[in-house]
Amino acid sequence: MTWQTLAFLIVGGGAFYLCGKKFALLYKLLKAQTGKPPKFSDFGRRIQTAIVNVLGQKAVLQDPAIGIAHTAIFWGFLIITIGTLEQFCMTIYEGASFEFIGQTLYSAMIWSQDFFTAFVLFGVLYAGYRRFFKKPKHLGQSSDANKILAFTGGLMVSIFFMNAFHVLSAHPWFTDDYFISKHLAEAFAGMGFSEDVNHGLYTFFKWVHMCLVLGFAVYIPGSKHLHIVAAGPNTFLRKLDREKGMTPINFEDETVTQYGIANTKQMSWKDTLDLYSCTECGRCQSLCPAWNTEKPLSPKNLIIDIKKNLYKNKDAILAGQDDKLTHVIDEHVTEDVIWSCTSCRACEIACPVFIEHTDKIYNIRRNLVMMESKFPAEVQPVFKNMETNGTPWAFSQSERANWAEGLNVKTMAEVGDASAVDVLLWVGCAGAYDDRNKSVIKSFVSLLNKAGVKFATLGTEETCTGDAARRIGNEYLFQTLAKTNVDTLNRYQVKRIVTACPHCFNTLKNEYGPMGGNYEVVHHSQFIAKLIQEGKLKPSKALDATVTFHDSCYLGRWNNVYEQPRSVIESIPSVKMVEMKQHHDKGMCCGAGGGRMWMEEHIGRRVNVTRTEQALETNAGIIATACPFCVTMITDGVKTKEAVDHVQVKDISELLDQAT
Amino acid sequence: MNLYVCIKQVPDTETKIKVNGDGSGIDAAGIKWIMSPYDEFAVEEALRVKEKNAGSTVTVITAGPDRTVEALRTALAMGADNAIHVELPETADSAFAAKALAGALKKEAKVDIVYFGKEAIDDGAAQVPQLVATYIGVPSVGTVVGIEYNGTTLKCKREIEGGAFEMVEVSQPVVVSGSKGLNEPRYATLPNIMKAKKKEVKKMSLADVGASPSDQKIKMKGLQLPPPKQAGKKIEGDAAAQAKALVTALHNEAKVI
């Protein structure tokens, strides 16, 4: 046993103990969570997504420059760990070299150590340049990040120095495989140190490296670098499909007495794994419509702040002292933060480690609304309207079918059941009650008639799908409305539904299943695109205009429908399409999602005006969209910007109706 | 404190009222029923007083057909402790309803404050609070938009004509009818909605409360909707010509002068 063995056992043992203790605490905290985690299945696809996104770094590479730097550091970390492991082994027992793997393989290993050390160093240098000179807004200042970069950079430099002095002192047979370090050795050779000094320096840098590794290991669990452990499992356990419904609450279960989360203990362990996975890259924040219009919500800060709240409560959680738990709403996660979210999911799509920010917000909202009756005052009449009249607007249910007067639109009650028609037209509250959107639904009806599609509506039997109630946190109201609709739809044996509203579309398609409603649901953009493709609609009248398309969140990010609405517009002769700077999955929300349609916007700039400004930048004469809420919000935006005389806001069905 | 709230179930504010076949009342088909919005202020006020005074109870009372129990459930979900349903025919007028409510209140051991909404939004009669106060022999303060509680006295701020306010000081027991501005009624929490479903509603018959159809003062002859609104007419010309045309129209067309 050398002094090094003893020293390593003491230092290494201590470090592993501290690091292990910290990880054990994180694990215990995760295990103590009482919230219901999602169900995990489909392990084949999970392995696939883990390979693509962890080893392949696909999600990280969405942002190419820093993505490449990160990939370099990530792969470097994996490969260099092999060398570090050998180093640990050899420090404990000198004969424990990995040379037993054979000369060729060992040569390759040594070569790869040098290669990846350089690769990581470039990654770190770029990351440092970005953090200190390029300074993207969403990154912010972080001493944690600076320490991590210093640690990583220090590790790499110490490896090169260690290798160089190893070459000078021991002249190993694999000197040539140190294809970078050997040049450094040549430079150091000029200093003319004796072999003993070189050996001493080798030992010194080896210990510098080992201490940095061990120090880093102790530092990681308490820092954002925890993601190196959590992000892999989080990616494996991610929600696999883009299309997702919110998780229902089982109100029949009388043992459940808490709806939503009032404190961080009530989160699920998967929520906490999300918190552990966050590396504070800020990609979520850079796309957040709330943050970009000076609202207090940043998805990044939300995750960091909930994590702080969790750590603040760790003793009470672990000791089971529920009376000592503090509310999840605190000085950082304020109610304004929670109500600023438009549920557009730009944050979730941007997140390289698949954190589901919106789930946290929904669950906090559920507690505020259902347990504490705390929500913006203007929402109360909206809830009441939905409860009594089945629509967020203040109209009687008996007036729901008035829009169709004189249009000879049949109802299911009139045709008998769904077998008599090709498809059920789901009108939605906007189409039924909002004057501007009545014209959209009429255009769509006109298109259906032109194409010879047999359809019927539910007439006055339709009620609100409950989307807004659900996003605002009133799950109970949502389920009441959903059950009413599912009963009606199933009574008429409805199989196929088409709707012009992406919110209704998403709810009917992705959220009615657990309520007993399983239907083939298509959005009118998909339906119209197919009618054009089949030659049943022939756009022949030219439209000499430049059109830009605004993506609806619930169509695009929630359901991956981007191309059909565009193809509908492009089918019109003479139309020139232009894209806004932000489009497809980076498109900015109009501001109406997540129940924000029904709330006042008191803080910051208006989301709809900001998005309208982006549309106006294209100089398009028509802003097209495929969502009633977007129509309303962007129309208001155009009015605010006093552009009404030269810019029109149109639903795609209106454009196509004019062209056919 | 023993707090009571008398409420009425009415058609939802968005209802398009239709007269029934024989013109004897409204067509109830398709109507969504709610607690009269002014009554929500009354329930909220009682709940706030209860929350500030430990040991208090809030009892909601309604008189009407069976469907009105739903309105009681709404009040229970907001946080009321007890509910009483007095069975009263659909056609009852204010006096009959007030007799029934007063009868139920008289059966209670001790009544400190009885809250009402200033009026029900269906018939808009605004008579029941005062009638009940008369029948149970306590003072009544109407159209109240703010109350200061001080021991057993209440300082009520009430809205009077001309946008002015009147301050009235009154001692318990008392009937108070609330108006918009008194408070912001709460939205029931889900645990309370669940609890409200299981709470017992005490049923009382007319005999139990000592009321009978002979208490009815109004006999309904018939009900009809006002004529549909006509489009406005714009009278052109100079002042003299306009005045002349207006007088002619009022005399010949509207036949009011």
Side-chain angles (χ1 to χ4, degrees):
Chain A
M1 194 193 267
T2 66
W3 68 268
Q4 289 205 35
T5 309
L6 192 66
F8 184 79
L9 288 177
I10 294 167
V11 177
F16 281 120
Y17 172 75
L18 289 176
C19 171
K21 204 176 144 189
K22 285 188 180 182
F23 273 111
L25 176 73
L26 292 174
Y27 179 72
K28 275 190 227 155
L29 212 45
L30 194 117
K31 287 278 281 183
Q33 312 267 249
T34 55
K36 207 174 147 196
K39 288 197 181 104
F40 303 105
S41 58
D42 223 345
F43 284 93
R45 281 177 70 203
R46 293 194 178 279
I47 291 167
Q48 199 183 345
T49 194
I51 291 172
V52 169
N53 291 300
V54 181
L55 299 182
Q57 298 275 294
K58 186 180 169 210
V60 180
L61 286 162
Q62 282 184 81
D63 185 346
I66 192 66
I68 291 168
H70 184 273
T71 307
I73 298 172
F74 167 74
W75 273 99
F77 165 79
L78 289 186
I79 302 296
I80 293 166
T81 300
I82 302 172
T84 307
L85 207 61
E86 187 196 30
Q87 188 180 48
F88 285 177
C89 294
M90 286 178 73
T91 307
I92 298 168
Y93 173 63
E94 216 171 336
S97 157
F98 288 2
E99 279 178 66
F100 66 86
I101 59 174
Q103 200 169 333
T104 319
L105 270 181
Y106 194 75
S107 276
M109 186 190 116
I110 294 297
W111 186 89
S112 68
Q113 294 296 306
D114 247 31
F115 174 78
F116 278 102
T117 304
F119 205 28
V120 170
L121 206 50
F122 281 121
V124 169
L125 286 174
Y126 176 74
Y129 158 74
R130 177 166 169 269
R131 210 164 257 284
F132 298 111
F133 298 100
K134 217 171 144 203
K135 292 185 185 169
K137 255 209 291 202
H138 57 268
L139 209 52
Q141 303 265 318
S142 163
S143 64
D144 191 16
N146 300 344
K147 279 178 213 155
I148 290 161
L149 282 181
F151 258 123
T152 318
L155 282 168
M156 299 308 117
V157 172
S158 66
I159 289 177
F160 276 139
F161 277 54
M162 171 183 82
N163 289 351
F165 287 108
H166 184 47
V167 168
L168 288 179
S169 60
H171 312 289
W173 60 265
F174 42 82
T175 295
D176 278 346
D177 297 319
Y178 281 132
F179 72 108
I180 298 169
S181 310
K182 75 173 182 188
H183 295 297
L184 198 63
E186 282 161 19
F188 289 149
M191 294 193 287
F193 294 142
S194 70
E195 288 219 347
D196 280 350
V197 173
N198 283 333
H199 186 73
L201 284 168
Y202 158 68
T203 311
F204 172 74
F205 283 113
K206 186 178 88 168
W207 274 92
V208 167
H209 179 248
M210 290 197 304
C211 289
L212 281 174
V213 170
L214 295 171
F216 207 12
V218 176
Y219 182 74
I220 283 170
S223 88
K224 78 186 189 76
H225 220 51
L226 178 58
H227 84 281
I228 66 168
V229 177
N234 209 51
T235 303
F236 182 76
L237 296 170
R238 65 178 279 208
K239 219 158 249 171
L240 284 169
D241 293 301
R242 175 71 67 88
E243 296 90 336
K244 69 169 184 183
M246 281 173 58
T247 320
I249 294 173
N250 181 5
F251 292 111
E252 312 277 298
D253 184 352
E254 290 189 3
T255 60
V256 178
T257 51
Q258 167 67 39
Y259 308 111
I261 61 166
N263 56 58
T264 39
K265 186 187 174 183
Q266 290 163 354
M267 298 190 301
S268 81
W269 62 260
K270 174 62 178 63
D271 287 323
T272 302
L273 191 61
D274 270 1
L275 307 182
Y276 291 172
S277 302
C278 180
T279 171
E280 303 174 17
C281 71
R283 292 184 191 188
C284 51
Q285 179 183 299
S286 73
L287 287 172
C288 176
W291 180 258
N292 285 320
T293 54
E294 292 89 42
K295 310 284 186 292
L297 167 66
S298 144
K300 175 176 91 167
N301 292 340
L302 176 83
I303 296 299
I304 297 173
D305 293 337
I306 296 179
K307 187 154 82 171
K308 278 186 196 155
N309 185 299
L310 175 73
Y311 289 169
K312 188 171 72 185
N313 280 291
K314 68 176 192 300
D315 294 335
I317 292 175
L318 293 176
Q321 293 167 316
D322 287 3
D323 54 321
K324 287 199 178 142
L325 293 169
T326 62
H327 206 290
V328 67
I329 297 287
D330 58 17
E331 68 272 30
H332 303 295
V333 184
T334 61
E335 287 182 38
D336 279 335
V337 165
I338 296 306
W339 295 118
S340 293
C341 177
T342 67
S343 77
C344 79
R345 280 181 74 194
C347 50
E348 296 185 357
I349 306 296
C351 181
V353 295
F354 304 96
I355 292 170
E356 292 181 70
H357 311 72
T358 58
D359 285 28
K360 323 280 174 280
I361 293 174
Y362 302 141
N363 274 324
I364 296 172
R365 285 183 176 185
R366 280 174 170 177
N367 173 71
L368 287 175
V369 171
M370 291 190 289
M371 302 300 293
E372 300 182 26
S373 190
K374 276 187 190 163
F375 46 82
E378 60 271 21
V379 171
Q380 191 158 334
V382 178
F383 284 162
K384 293 239 164 154
N385 286 330
M386 286 197 234
E387 281 167 12
T388 41
N389 295 311
T391 167
W393 274 281
F395 286 103
S396 162
Q397 187 143 16
S398 63
E399 295 172 274
R400 187 174 269 278
N402 289 5
W403 66 274
E405 262 169 33
L407 294 179
N408 194 26
V409 172
K410 294 270 186 297
T411 62
M412 276 293 166
E414 285 164 350
V415 299
D417 67 43
S419 61
V421 292
D422 303 325
V423 67
L424 171 90
L425 169 61
W426 187 272
V427 180
C429 301
Y433 295 117
D434 177 61
D435 283 338
R436 174 67 189 84
N437 283 298
K438 280 183 198 169
S439 123
V440 173
I441 205 81
K442 284 180 190 169
S443 297
F444 184 48
V445 163
S446 159
L447 288 171
L448 291 173
N449 288 331
K450 282 177 194 170
V453 176
K454 279 194 280 177
F455 68 95
T457 68
L458 288 180
T460 55
E461 289 184 272
E462 186 184 300
T463 76
C464 176
T465 59
D467 164 73
R470 190 169 225 202
R471 309 296 145 186
I472 296 173
N474 200 336
E475 178 72 8
Y476 185 70
L477 178 53
F478 163 74
Q479 290 194 15
T480 311
L481 293 165
K483 277 177 193 146
T484 309
N485 280 323
V486 167
D487 283 349
T488 313
L489 290 165
N490 290 353
R491 183 155 43 83
Y492 289 119
Q493 295 169 22
V494 172
K495 305 266 182 308
R496 289 190 76 206
I497 303 175
V498 63
T499 177
C501 173
H503 295 262
C504 297
F505 169 62
N506 180 67
T507 310
L508 291 165
K509 182 169 174 280
N510 299 324
E511 307 203 327
Y512 272 19
M515 309 286 139
N518 294 291
Y519 320 103
E520 180 200 339
V521 189
V522 287
H523 184 250
H524 80 325
S525 61
Q526 298 169 304
F527 201 83
I528 297 170
K530 192 147 179 269
L531 290 174
I532 296 169
Q533 204 183 19
E534 292 168 347
K536 289 180 183 158
L537 283 175
K538 293 192 180 71
S540 53
K541 292 175 204 149
L543 176 64
D544 198 10
T546 307
V547 180
T548 189
F549 180 71
H550 162 77
D551 287 284
S552 146
C553 308
Y554 278 75
L555 200 54
R557 273 184 294 263
W558 278 81
N559 286 289
N560 230 353
V561 178
Y562 294 108
E563 300 317 320
Q564 289 98 328
R566 287 179 169 78
S567 78
V568 170
I569 300 167
E570 280 163 350
S571 73
I572 302 169
S574 301
V575 154
K576 189 173 163 261
M577 272 283 280
V578 284
E579 291 289 0
M580 289 179 243
K581 273 185 199 146
Q582 283 179 258
H583 56 87
H584 284 75
D585 61 1
K586 298 208 165 39
M588 186 185 178
C589 177
C590 72
R596 292 276 343 159
M597 175 80 184
W598 310 104
M599 297 175 204
E600 301 289 342
E601 197 174 339
H602 299 294
I603 312 171
R605 287 178 298 139
R606 297 189 65 91
V607 177
N608 66 326
V609 174
T610 310
R611 181 56 170 164
T612 305
E613 284 164 357
Q614 296 170 2
L616 295 178
E617 267 177 27
T618 64
N619 288 319
I622 296 173
I623 305 169
T625 180
C627 170
F629 291 164
C630 297
V631 166
T632 303
M633 298 304 269
I634 304 292
T635 303
D636 281 355
V638 170
K639 279 182 201 154
T640 308
K641 298 305 290 182
E642 295 178 346
V644 184
D645 51 345
H646 61 278
V647 178
Q648 291 177 298
V649 181
K650 292 279 186 192
D651 184 87
I652 55 162
S653 61
E654 295 177 304
L655 294 177
L656 200 73
D657 191 34
Q658 284 168 7
T660 48
Chain B
M1 284 170 87
N2 300 298
L3 306 161
Y4 291 82
V5 190
C6 295
I7 64 171
K8 185 177 184 185
Q9 193 189 40
V10 297
D12 178 64
T13 47
E14 306 310 328
T15 312
K16 295 288 167 245
I17 296 291
K18 280 180 253 160
V19 177
N20 65 10
D22 58 5
S24 65
I26 62 166
D27 179 2
I31 287 183
K32 309 277 183 184
W33 297 93
I34 59 166
M35 184 201 306
S36 183
Y38 291 110
D39 297 347
E40 288 187 18
F41 298 120
V43 175
E44 178 66 33
E45 189 65 19
L47 292 175
R48 290 187 187 190
V49 172
K50 176 196 154 180
E51 281 156 8
K52 283 197 192 114
N53 296 277
S56 303
T57 55
V58 173
T59 305
V60 276
I61 311 179
T62 194
D66 281 343
R67 58 168 164 76
T68 60
V69 172
E70 276 312 302
L72 293 175
R73 298 261 176 233
T74 307
L76 289 171
M78 286 174 76
D81 304 289
N82 313 305
I84 300 171
H85 170 222
V86 184
E87 290 172 306
L88 187 75
E90 190 88 54
T91 50
D93 66 358
S94 299
F96 191 4
K99 258 275 154 53
L101 293 169
L105 285 165
K106 280 185 197 162
K107 296 264 172 187
E108 296 294 306
K110 187 169 179 279
V111 174
D112 294 316
I113 308 175
V114 186
Y115 295 95
F116 281 83
K118 76 169 170 106
E119 65 181 276
I121 59 154
D122 51 356
D123 58 16
Q127 294 192 55
V128 176
Q130 295 73 251
L131 288 169
V132 168
T134 308
Y135 294 152
I136 63 173
V138 304
S140 152
V141 189
T143 334
V144 171
V145 293
I147 306 174
E148 264 178 54
Y149 298 88
N150 193 359
T152 55
T153 57
L154 281 68
K155 211 186 230 177
C156 302
K157 183 180 179 186
R158 59 184 300 267
E159 217 169 356
I160 56 171
E161 286 71 18
F165 295 102
E166 187 177 75
M167 300 300 289
V168 178
E169 204 171 88
V170 66
S171 289
Q172 293 171 7
V174 61
V175 164
V176 177
S177 77
S179 187
K180 191 178 162 70
L182 182 60
N183 51 46
E184 290 291 335
R186 71 193 62 191
Y187 186 76
T189 64
L190 192 53
N192 280 349
I193 293 174
M194 301 292 200
K195 270 184 240 156
K197 284 183 184 171
K198 291 180 185 153
K199 276 187 191 163
E200 195 202 347
V201 173
K202 185 174 157 193
K203 221 175 207 23
M204 295 178 92
S205 66
L206 286 176
D208 293 337
V209 297
S212 78
S214 64
D215 293 313
Q216 178 97 358
K217 305 263 191 231
I218 295 172
K219 211 173 253 160
M220 174 81 75
K221 283 181 81 177
L223 202 64
Q224 63 186 56
L225 290 176
K229 204 176 159 191
Q230 309 267 309
K233 227 180 234 180
K234 195 174 177 189
I235 299 172
E236 311 270 355
D238 61 24
Q242 278 185 26
K244 195 168 178 211
L246 178 63
V247 171
T248 313
L250 288 172
H251 183 67
N252 295 341
E253 290 170 40
K255 297 189 179 17
V256 289
I257 52 171

